[in-house]
């Protein structure tokens, strides 16, 4: 019988050391790991709880942007007024993960490193050009969020590496984001498709920068530069939006599974991207 | 690896227990602390029957490892009433017939308490979304939602100084 | 919103029945004290776990348990070889008849596994970790066989055959080859073909449903001990302690009286706990290990190895005259039975046209085995499938004829004197009143917004009586203990106590109801079939009447008058002899206190086979809103009306209507068993099985139709639990049809399916 160990290091260095062991798994909110443990899909030798590291939980404003501790549960993000104002799409992505109970536990780092194609918090983080601070045996490094997930269940983190915090850049005026996902019920489902849109406008309401990211329609979340480009220079007139939707639908490479069909996911990704763009646009203009 | 010696507070009382690394808080509550009011319906955080309040936050105890409980405050359904005096939520659940089989009831009560602690005046929609992580297969939720709304109104009334 | 519709001028003469007291077991259930199946531990108990087949269809070549048995801490390993071989004996203990050999082979596979999740071996160990490690060390050699999941495929002549001994019954001639078709059921009246050919309007459609699970939140659980004297103890949650007793005894080959079963509180069943899965295994492990054994299923096991109800294909033909009279109907249904025969297709056949007066019909039902879990009863078993087909087709007929859907149903409605399709003549039914209740509701008159539709559907269920027992004991101080023979699954203790209090004329607070174990109360059939408040309630009322008879005799003895000079009024003995007018009434407390001097304890038990259950009718109204870009549909308003006879505790009757409606809504919109190409269930968890959550729903309004109490019950009770799941499938589907202008005949009405229908309509 293999014996499972549990460690709760207090410093990043100790955590990196503990995670360097063979068969070590990081524990953040645990809402995926515990399910995998129970189902026998994960059989680690040691679980390393990262939540007791100083700064692992909490949100702080720094250099005009935000720093989010990697183990911050979703509920603390939606309770943070300044973050919710500046990054409503990032916050709604995180807030859509699971129930009230899950919101008290599930974290951005866990959602990202679980590496599910359908992770709700990831598209808006990528669209927001967020980065993560990674700690490992070799020290610290910073990487773009989109560089972390390689495919379902696979990340670019080296053995012993873990995410310490996320950084969201300073917000210019007239900028906002939005995230939408589709689920058959109103709650408690995994996204069939998701779309995040992050827009910056000029004083006249013309889009100057746009990032469109779609989720659950490919092995990883997809940052579609051309979809964003289609919106730049527009005020979200129909031709621009349709061009954006065309890029989105062409990029979809979903699978048929218990949560949706290829055809449906592709169709819906376009609908969600259009709706998310509209919401982000209205937010950026201060209409909502 | 030897077991972990954990100290925590459960329903206001200090408790200590020994646990293996992989045991959940739910396992410890039910099998070691004899608090079987907290139920297991799925073991994957999808039904809310194992809801407890951990340091003031509503969680599924099946998704918390027992060693994580070190130094934490835990409230379970057994701690809701004041001795034999029922909590207003418990009274309203009975008055409204908001339970049939009663298996999901402890989880709903704990979740509803966390809601009313955070939001004394929730709308019907807020109640329904807050409780979306608690499955009930018997009632169709109607009477549960009414019981929670009426409790909220009762507690608001009680707060008005005479 | 809840309303009650009474007969105009009806007088309320009851004090307790019809009120809404706090349920007597309520405090335990809101404080966590109530003990459910997994909440009891026995001294020295082990943990039992089951190894399940990963294949939907395979021959078991060998099972090597030696490595598991050698693991320290493992106390027993058993397989099918540890159970006796049983003949094909039919048992009538649950809601349906059960073939004993099939049930035993479902509890533990013998030579073949027939579905993903079928039990093949079990272990008992000193911890869960060791038990699970032991399961990993059991080596099973399988020869995998081709499998079949879908009912129509299973009926094909070239389909893989599950049972070489299965020859279709109910045909004119016994077939020469075995097949997966276990049975054909047929009901006919008049001449369907001629009437259909002559009809002004003809309508034809195929409707399909998927297997769905009962979805009770409490997983199956028990703890069991086999004593060294051969006496067996079982504690566990089920819909019938006597069912568990009989089934365990028969599967293990021991005398029934050697098995003592204590019913735990039950965390939902809906029919799914009317059979055994774990209990015989726990007893066999206990016998092998010498320790009590506790077993609790995981949610994954609950989905893969228990329940569900059938998926089905329902073909409907309706012929009608231009003025809306249905003159011909044909319904043919093919149901998945799962691994062993016994789908509820016969009940579907009996109920599918039960709301309609039709002179010419033919109803055919096919029971088909498939490589899926053996179906178990689920709330009005079979009826929701048949009603989905017929009520959808009736809605199409209404659209074709340009008739209001309620009007069409009124034109064809059964009433007292109508002959039910399955034989009997209806008496004391209130279907027409139930239709009128919906017509008169505010909901029916309310305007609809864009992308919204309103659906109507009706439903029928027989409601059962059957064997039950009840006892009433009087304590020294006049307190009353009522012992019910049936597990309380949704408030039946309250109903028993209220009926006893009403009969005895005592305050409800003086009555303490309990559920008896198998050694403390007479036999009863399961809590199911909407029978408990009716049949067990009847036993309790009769026992209370016997207690009153005893009390009158005791009073007569004390007064030295004839017993016929003593009346029982408002909880007191009153002397009616005009010559003794000065005698003060004797209270129950006084009579109880003096009982030892007047003949000893006062108590009565009644066991009976209740006849006279009255069928129930429901009419549901559903408003649905559809997002035309995504195909997502939401129920935005819902009203359920039902002929309930008389509600003992109206809140719990409303709860039955609301809960049944919501289960039906889940069935209609999202729930389904999904299998991969390898025949394995893909969504064996609450996350992807998608039962309704609170935010998916509006309030569920109810109308209790009490215009027609059941005259064959002292308080007019009709069964209420099952009817409410019959109409919703079609009520939702009909609302969708009217919201989007096109029929989606296949459940569930998932967003991809709705969007595809919308796009096909536009194309």
């Amino acid at each position: 019988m293999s014996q499972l160990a549990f460690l709760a290091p207090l410093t990043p260095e100790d955590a990196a050391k503990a995670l360097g062991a063979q068969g070590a798994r990081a524990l953040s909110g645990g809402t995926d790991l515990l399910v995998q443990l129970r189902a026998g899909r994960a059989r680690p030798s040691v679980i390393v709880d990262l939540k007791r590291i100083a700064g692992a939980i909490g949100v702080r404003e720094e250099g005009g942007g935000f720093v989010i501790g990697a183990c911050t549960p979703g509920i603390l993000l939606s309770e943070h007024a300044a973050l919710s104002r500046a990054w409503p799409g990032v916050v709604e992505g995180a807030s859509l993960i699971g129930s009230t109970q899950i919101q008290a536990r599930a974290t951005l780092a866990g959602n990202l490193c679980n590496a599910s194609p359908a992770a709700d918090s990831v598209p808006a983080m990528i669209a927001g050009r967020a980065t993560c601070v990674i700690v490992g045996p070799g020290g610290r490094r910073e990487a773009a969020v989109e560089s972390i997930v390689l495919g379902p269940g696979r990340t670019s983190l080296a053995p012993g590496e873990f995410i310490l915090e996320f950084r969201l850049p300073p917000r210019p005026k007239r900028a906002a984001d939005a995230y939408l996902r589709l689920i058959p019920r109103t709650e408690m489902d995994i996204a069939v498709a998701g779309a995040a849109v992050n827009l910056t406008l000029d004083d006249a309401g013309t889009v100057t920068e746009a990032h469109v990211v779609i989720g659950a329609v490919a092995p990883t979340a997809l940052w579609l530069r051309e979809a964003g480009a289609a919106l730049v220079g527009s005020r979200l007139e129909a031709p621009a939006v349709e061009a954006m939707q065309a890029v989105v639908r062409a990029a979809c490479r979903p699978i048929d599974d218990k949560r949706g069909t290829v055809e449906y996911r592709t169709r819906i990704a376009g609908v969600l991207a259009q709706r998310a763009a509209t919401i982000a646009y209205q937010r950026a203009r201060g209409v909502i | 690896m030897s077991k972990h010696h954990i100290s925590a507070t459960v329903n206001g009382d200090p408790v200590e227990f020994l646990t293996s690394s992989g045991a959940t808080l739910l396992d410890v509550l039910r099998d070691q602390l004899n608090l079987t009011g907290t139920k297991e319906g799925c073991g994957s955080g999808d039904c809310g029957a194992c809801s407890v309040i951990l340091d003031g936050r509503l969680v599924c105890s099946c998704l918390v490892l027992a060693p994580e409980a070190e130094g934490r405050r835990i409230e379970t359904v057994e701690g809701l009433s004041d001795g034999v005096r029922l909590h207003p939520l418990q009274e309203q659940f009975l008055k409204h017939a908001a339970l049939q089989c009663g298996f999901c009831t402890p989880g709903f009560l704990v979740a509803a308490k966390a809601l009313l602690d955070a939001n004394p005046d929730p709308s019907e929609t807020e109640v329904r979304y807050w409780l979306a992580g608690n499955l009930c297969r018997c009632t169709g939720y109607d009477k549960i939602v009414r019981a929670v709304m009426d409790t909220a109104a009762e507690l608001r009334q009680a707060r008005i100084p005479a | 919103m809840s309303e009650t519709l009474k007969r105009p001028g009806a007088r309320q003469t009851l004090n307790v029945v019809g009120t809404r007291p706090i349920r007597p077991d309520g405090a335990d259930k809101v404080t966590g004290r109530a003990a459910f199946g997994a909440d009891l531990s026995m001294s020295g108990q082990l943990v039992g776990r089951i190894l399940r087949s990963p294949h939907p269809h395979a021959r078991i070549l060998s099972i090597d348990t030696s490595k598991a048995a050698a693991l320290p801490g493992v106390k027993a390993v058993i397989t099918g070889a540890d159970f006796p071989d049983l003949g094909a004996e039919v048992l009538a203990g649950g809601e349906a008849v059960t073939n004993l050999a099939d049930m035993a082979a479902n509890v533990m596979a013998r030579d073949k596994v027939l579905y993903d999740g079928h039990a093949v071996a079990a272990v008992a160990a000193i911890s869960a970790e060791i038990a699970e490690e032991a399961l990993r060390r059991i080596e099973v050699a399988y020869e995998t066989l081709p499998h079949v999941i879908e009912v129509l495929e299973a009926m094909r002549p070239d389909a893989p055959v599950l049972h070489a001994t299965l020859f279709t019954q109910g045909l004119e001639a016994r077939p020469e080859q075995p097949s997966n078709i276990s049975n054909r059921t047929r009901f006919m009246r008049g001449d369907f073909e001629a009437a259909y050919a002559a009809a002004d309007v003809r309508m034809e459609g195929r409707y399909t449903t998927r297997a769905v699970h009962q979805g009770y939140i409490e997983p199956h659980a028990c703890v069991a001990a086999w004593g060294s004297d051969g006496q067996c103890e079982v504690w566990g949650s089920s819909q019938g302690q006597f069912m568990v007793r009989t089934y365990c005894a028969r599967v293990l080959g021991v005398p029934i009286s050697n098995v003592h079963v204590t019913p735990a509180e039950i965390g939902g069943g809906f029919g799914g706990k009317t059979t055994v899965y774990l209990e015989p295994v726990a007893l066999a492990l206990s016998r092998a290990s010498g320790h009590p054994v506790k077993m609790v299923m995981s949610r994954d096991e609950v989905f893969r190895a228990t329940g569900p109800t059938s998926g089905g294909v329902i073909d409907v033909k309706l012929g009608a005259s231009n003025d809306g009279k249905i003159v011909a109907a044909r319904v043919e249904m093919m149901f998945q039975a799962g691994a062993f025969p016994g789908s509820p297709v016969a009940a579907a056949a009996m109920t599918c046209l039960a709301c309609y007066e039709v002179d010419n019909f033919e109803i055919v039902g096919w029971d088909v085995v498939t490589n899926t879990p053996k179906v178990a009863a689920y709330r009005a078993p079979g009826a929701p499938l048949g009603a989905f087909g017929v009520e959808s087709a009736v809605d199409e007929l209404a659209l074709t004829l340009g008739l209001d859907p309620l009007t069409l149903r009124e034109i064809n409605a059964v009433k007292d004197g109508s002959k039910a399709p399955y034989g009997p003549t209806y008496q004391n039914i209130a279907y027409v009143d139930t239709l009128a209740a919906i017509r008169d509701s505010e909901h029916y008159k309310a305007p609809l917004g864009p992308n919204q539709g309103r659906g109507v559907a009706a439903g029928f269920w027989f409601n059962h009586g059957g064997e039950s027992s009840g006892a009433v004991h009087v304590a020294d101080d006049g307190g009353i203990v009522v012992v019910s023979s049936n597990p309380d699954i949704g408030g039946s203790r309250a109903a028993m106590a209220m009926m006893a209090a009403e009969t005895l004329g005592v305050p409800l607070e003086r009555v303490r109801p309990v559920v008896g174990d198998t050694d403390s109360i007479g036999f009863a059939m399961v809590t199911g079939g909407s029978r408990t408040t009716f049949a067990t309630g009847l036993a309790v009322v009769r026992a209370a009447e016997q207690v009153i008879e005893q009390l009158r005799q005791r009073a007569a003895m004390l007064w030295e008058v004839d017993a016929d000079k003593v009346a029982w009024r408002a909880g007191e003995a009153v002397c009616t002899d005009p010559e003794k007018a000065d005698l003060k009434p004797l209270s129950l407390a006084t009579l109880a206190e003096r009982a030892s001097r007047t003949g000893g304890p006062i108590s009565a038990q009644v066991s009976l086979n209740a006849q006279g259950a009255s069928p129930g009718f429901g009419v549901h109204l559903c408003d649905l809103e559809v997002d035309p870009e995504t195909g997502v549909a939401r129920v935005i308003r819902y009203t359920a009306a039902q002929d309930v006879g008389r509600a003992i505790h109206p809140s719990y009757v409303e709860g039955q209507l609301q809960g049944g409606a919501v289960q039906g809504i889940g069935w209609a919109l999202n729930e389904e068993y999904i299998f991969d190409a390898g025949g394995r269930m893909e969504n064996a968890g609450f996350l992807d099985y998608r039962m309704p959550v609170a935010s998916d729903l509006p309030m569920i309004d109810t109308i209790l139709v009490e215009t027609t109490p059941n005259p064959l019950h002292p308080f007019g009770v009709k069964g209420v639990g099952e009817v409410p799941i019959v109409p919703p499938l079609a009520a939702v589907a009909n609302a969708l049809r009217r919201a989007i202008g096109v029929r989606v005949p296949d459940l569930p009405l998932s967003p991809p399916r709705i969007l595809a229908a919308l796009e096909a309509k536009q194309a």
Side-chain angles (χ1 to χ4, degrees), chain A residues 17-33:
Chain A
K17 200 172 146 200
L19 281 169
Q22 188 73 31
R25 276 290 297 267
L27 169 67
S28 186
T31 54
D32 288 311
L33 179 59

mmCIF file of all heavy atoms in Angstrom, chain A residues 17-33:
data_model
loop_
_atom_site.group_PDB
_atom_site.id
_atom_site.type_symbol
_atom_site.label_atom_id
_atom_site.label_comp_id
_atom_site.label_asym_id
_atom_site.label_seq_id
_atom_site.Cartn_x
_atom_site.Cartn_y
_atom_site.Cartn_z
ATOM 1 N N LYS A 17 10.679 22.850 -3.124
ATOM 2 C CA LYS A 17 11.437 21.657 -2.732
ATOM 3 C C LYS A 17 10.484 20.447 -2.585
ATOM 4 O O LYS A 17 10.758 19.357 -3.104
ATOM 5 C CB LYS A 17 12.153 21.943 -1.404
ATOM 6 C CG LYS A 17 13.310 21.024 -1.135
ATOM 7 C CD LYS A 17 14.092 21.494 0.088
ATOM 8 C CE LYS A 17 14.624 20.285 0.843
ATOM 9 N NZ LYS A 17 14.965 20.583 2.229
ATOM 10 N N ALA A 18 9.387 20.694 -1.903
ATOM 11 C CA ALA A 18 8.431 19.601 -1.677
ATOM 12 C C ALA A 18 7.844 19.103 -2.995
ATOM 13 O O ALA A 18 7.652 17.901 -3.202
ATOM 14 C CB ALA A 18 7.320 20.069 -0.748
ATOM 15 N N LEU A 19 7.591 20.042 -3.899
ATOM 16 C CA LEU A 19 6.969 19.661 -5.175
ATOM 17 C C LEU A 19 7.970 18.979 -6.110
ATOM 18 O O LEU A 19 7.572 18.379 -7.112
ATOM 19 C CB LEU A 19 6.386 20.894 -5.864
ATOM 20 C CG LEU A 19 5.034 21.352 -5.322
ATOM 21 C CD1 LEU A 19 4.667 22.721 -5.882
ATOM 22 C CD2 LEU A 19 3.945 20.342 -5.667
ATOM 23 N N GLY A 20 9.252 19.089 -5.781
ATOM 24 C CA GLY A 20 10.257 18.423 -6.600
ATOM 25 C C GLY A 20 10.275 16.921 -6.395
ATOM 26 O O GLY A 20 10.841 16.186 -7.194
ATOM 27 N N ALA A 21 9.640 16.440 -5.342
ATOM 28 C CA ALA A 21 9.650 15.001 -5.048
ATOM 29 C C ALA A 21 8.858 14.233 -6.095
ATOM 30 O O ALA A 21 7.896 14.755 -6.676
ATOM 31 C CB ALA A 21 9.063 14.755 -3.656
ATOM 32 N N GLN A 22 9.265 12.972 -6.293
ATOM 33 C CA GLN A 22 8.568 12.106 -7.242
ATOM 34 C C GLN A 22 7.108 11.949 -6.832
ATOM 35 O O GLN A 22 6.805 11.669 -5.676
ATOM 36 C CB GLN A 22 9.262 10.733 -7.241
ATOM 37 C CG GLN A 22 8.789 9.772 -8.310
ATOM 38 C CD GLN A 22 9.290 10.181 -9.700
ATOM 39 O OE1 GLN A 22 10.372 10.756 -9.828
ATOM 40 N NE2 GLN A 22 8.493 9.924 -10.724
ATOM 41 N N GLY A 23 6.196 12.165 -7.763
ATOM 42 C CA GLY A 23 4.775 11.936 -7.471
ATOM 43 C C GLY A 23 4.130 13.022 -6.630
ATOM 44 O O GLY A 23 3.060 12.804 -6.068
ATOM 45 N N ALA A 24 4.760 14.207 -6.551
ATOM 46 C CA ALA A 24 4.164 15.284 -5.750
ATOM 47 C C ALA A 24 3.085 15.993 -6.551
ATOM 48 O O ALA A 24 3.202 16.154 -7.771
ATOM 49 C CB ALA A 24 5.241 16.274 -5.324
ATOM 50 N N ARG A 25 2.023 16.407 -5.875
ATOM 51 C CA ARG A 25 0.965 17.187 -6.526
ATOM 52 C C ARG A 25 0.678 18.423 -5.691
ATOM 53 O O ARG A 25 0.569 18.344 -4.469
ATOM 54 C CB ARG A 25 -0.331 16.378 -6.621
ATOM 55 C CG ARG A 25 -0.424 15.433 -7.813
ATOM 56 C CD ARG A 25 -0.581 16.110 -9.172
ATOM 57 N NE ARG A 25 -1.797 16.886 -9.356
ATOM 58 C CZ ARG A 25 -2.929 16.420 -9.889
ATOM 59 N NH1 ARG A 25 -3.007 15.170 -10.273
ATOM 60 N NH2 ARG A 25 -3.983 17.214 -10.035
ATOM 61 N N ALA A 26 0.538 19.559 -6.373
ATOM 62 C CA ALA A 26 0.185 20.797 -5.682
ATOM 63 C C ALA A 26 -1.305 20.799 -5.358
ATOM 64 O O ALA A 26 -2.130 20.359 -6.155
ATOM 65 C CB ALA A 26 0.533 21.993 -6.557
ATOM 66 N N LEU A 27 -1.627 21.282 -4.171
ATOM 67 C CA LEU A 27 -3.023 21.448 -3.757
ATOM 68 C C LEU A 27 -3.283 22.936 -3.605
ATOM 69 O O LEU A 27 -2.619 23.622 -2.842
ATOM 70 C CB LEU A 27 -3.267 20.758 -2.413
ATOM 71 C CG LEU A 27 -4.605 21.057 -1.727
ATOM 72 C CD1 LEU A 27 -5.759 20.477 -2.516
ATOM 73 C CD2 LEU A 27 -4.608 20.496 -0.302
ATOM 74 N N SER A 28 -4.261 23.408 -4.370
ATOM 75 C CA SER A 28 -4.668 24.804 -4.212
ATOM 76 C C SER A 28 -6.051 24.766 -3.567
ATOM 77 O O SER A 28 -6.175 24.480 -2.385
ATOM 78 C CB SER A 28 -4.631 25.487 -5.579
ATOM 79 O OG SER A 28 -4.891 26.858 -5.456
ATOM 80 N N GLY A 29 -7.122 24.972 -4.348
ATOM 81 C CA GLY A 29 -8.454 24.868 -3.752
ATOM 82 C C GLY A 29 -8.927 23.430 -3.586
ATOM 83 O O GLY A 29 -9.831 23.146 -2.818
ATOM 84 N N GLY A 30 -8.333 22.526 -4.353
ATOM 85 C CA GLY A 30 -8.625 21.103 -4.181
ATOM 86 C C GLY A 30 -9.876 20.618 -4.883
ATOM 87 O O GLY A 30 -10.211 19.440 -4.800
ATOM 88 N N THR A 31 -10.579 21.519 -5.579
ATOM 89 C CA THR A 31 -11.885 21.108 -6.107
ATOM 90 C C THR A 31 -11.756 20.163 -7.307
ATOM 91 O O THR A 31 -12.710 19.465 -7.635
ATOM 92 C CB THR A 31 -12.736 22.332 -6.503
ATOM 93 O OG1 THR A 31 -11.974 23.143 -7.404
ATOM 94 C CG2 THR A 31 -13.085 23.155 -5.277
ATOM 95 N N ASP A 32 -10.603 20.135 -7.940
ATOM 96 C CA ASP A 32 -10.343 19.119 -8.967
ATOM 97 C C ASP A 32 -9.544 17.962 -8.392
ATOM 98 O O ASP A 32 -9.867 16.801 -8.630
ATOM 99 C CB ASP A 32 -9.575 19.721 -10.155
ATOM 100 C CG ASP A 32 -10.441 20.646 -10.992
ATOM 101 O OD1 ASP A 32 -11.560 20.233 -11.355
ATOM 102 O OD2 ASP A 32 -10.018 21.771 -11.264
ATOM 103 N N LEU A 33 -8.505 18.283 -7.614
ATOM 104 C CA LEU A 33 -7.601 17.237 -7.122
ATOM 105 C C LEU A 33 -8.347 16.218 -6.261
ATOM 106 O O LEU A 33 -8.144 15.012 -6.398
ATOM 107 C CB LEU A 33 -6.448 17.868 -6.329
ATOM 108 C CG LEU A 33 -5.446 16.858 -5.745
ATOM 109 C CD1 LEU A 33 -4.809 16.007 -6.835
ATOM 110 C CD2 LEU A 33 -4.370 17.569 -4.940
#
